[in-house]
């Protein structure tokens, strides 16, 4: 039994509900490319998968002559109405099990690309680039107007001796 701890521990859910609702296994009864999927179904792989995911319904479509759909595949149906096809041509039992867990752990929809337009602008701002000293709170050098006042205060302190 091929066990990947991260795949067993995590499951993609939305509001605490797993998104995978049905797995359909399409395979040939006699084809050599379906051997891994047949071993997964008729040996301990499917029983263990069902024990961990009782909420997922299974259905099977078997072709006896191998002509209609010669290569095996898993079709995953998700709660949002989307489906995903995972081809399993010449995949061993461990690979079938890993792909079944992978389909279980997905949310079903394709991830959306985030648009960072404010970070990747071709036209620069006329106000200039932002820097950490823009508002002069933590400026390492005081501005010229304040600098003159500070120098005057320092000169005033130079003549004052507090130890007298």
């Amino acid at each position: 039994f091929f066990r990947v701890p991260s795949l067993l521990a995590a499951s993609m859910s939305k509001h605490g509900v797993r998104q995978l609702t049905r797995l359909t296994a399409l395979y040939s009864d006699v084809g050599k490319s379906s051997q891994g999927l047949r071993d997964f179904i008729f040996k301990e792989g499917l029983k263990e998968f069902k024990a961990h995911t009782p909420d997922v319904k299974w259905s099977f479509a078997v072709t006896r002559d191998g002509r209609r759909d010669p290569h095996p595949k898993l079709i995953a149906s998700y709660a949002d109405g989307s489906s995903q096809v995972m081809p399993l041509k010449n995949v061993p039992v461990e690979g079938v099990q890993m792909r079944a867990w992978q389909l279980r752990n997905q949310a079903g929809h394709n991830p959306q690309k985030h648009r960072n337009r404010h970070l990747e602008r071709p036209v620069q701002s006329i106000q200039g680039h932002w820097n950490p000293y823009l508002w002069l709170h933590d400026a390492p050098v005081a501005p010229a107007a304040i600098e003159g006042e500070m120098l005057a205060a320092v000169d005033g302190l130079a003549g004052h001796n507090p130890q007298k």
Side-chain angles (χ1 to χ4, degrees):
F1 174 69
F2 184 74
R3 186 176 295 232
V4 179
S6 63
L7 291 177
L8 291 174
S11 67
M12 184 56 87
S13 64
K14 186 182 271 188
H15 305 294
V17 178
R18 283 197 193 122
Q19 296 299 298
L20 181 65
T21 56
R22 175 176 293 278
L23 274 172
T24 304
L26 301 170
Y27 64 96
S28 172
D29 203 19
V30 294
K32 289 187 177 184
S33 64
S34 299
Q35 185 64 43
L37 183 57
R38 284 194 308 263
D39 289 345
F40 174 75
I41 292 171
F42 297 116
K43 294 187 179 173
E44 297 299 317
L46 182 60
K47 288 180 185 177
E48 187 164 342
F49 187 83
K50 280 186 173 183
H52 286 288
T53 58
D55 53 339
V56 176
K57 307 292 185 243
W58 277 84
S59 61
F60 304 96
V62 182
T63 58
R64 303 213 181 273
D65 57 358
R67 292 184 190 187
R68 191 179 81 201
D69 199 9
H71 298 302
K73 58 185 70 142
L74 280 176
I75 301 174
S77 301
Y78 295 94
D80 62 355
S82 63
S83 64
Q84 191 169 8
V85 177
M86 181 75 69
L88 299 172
K89 179 182 175 184
N90 296 325
V91 176
V93 179
E94 296 84 13
V96 172
Q97 191 164 25
M98 185 179 73
R99 285 169 175 84
W101 283 106
Q102 182 181 5
L103 288 171
R104 174 197 170 246
N105 293 337
Q106 290 179 356
H109 61 278
N110 291 331
Q112 296 293 321
K113 182 179 177 183
H114 293 288
R115 304 210 171 162
N116 298 334
R117 292 184 196 167
H118 62 281
L119 296 177
E120 302 170 3
R121 293 185 61 131
V123 179
Q124 294 186 3
S125 170
I126 60 170
Q127 298 174 350
H129 290 290
W130 180 88
N131 64 37
Y133 306 113
L134 185 62
W135 302 110
L136 303 175
H137 293 294
D138 299 326
V141 178
I146 299 173
E147 195 171 290
E149 294 174 10
M150 291 176 67
L151 289 176
V154 170
D155 288 339
L157 289 177
H160 175 69
N161 191 354
Q163 295 179 353
K164 286 185 183 179

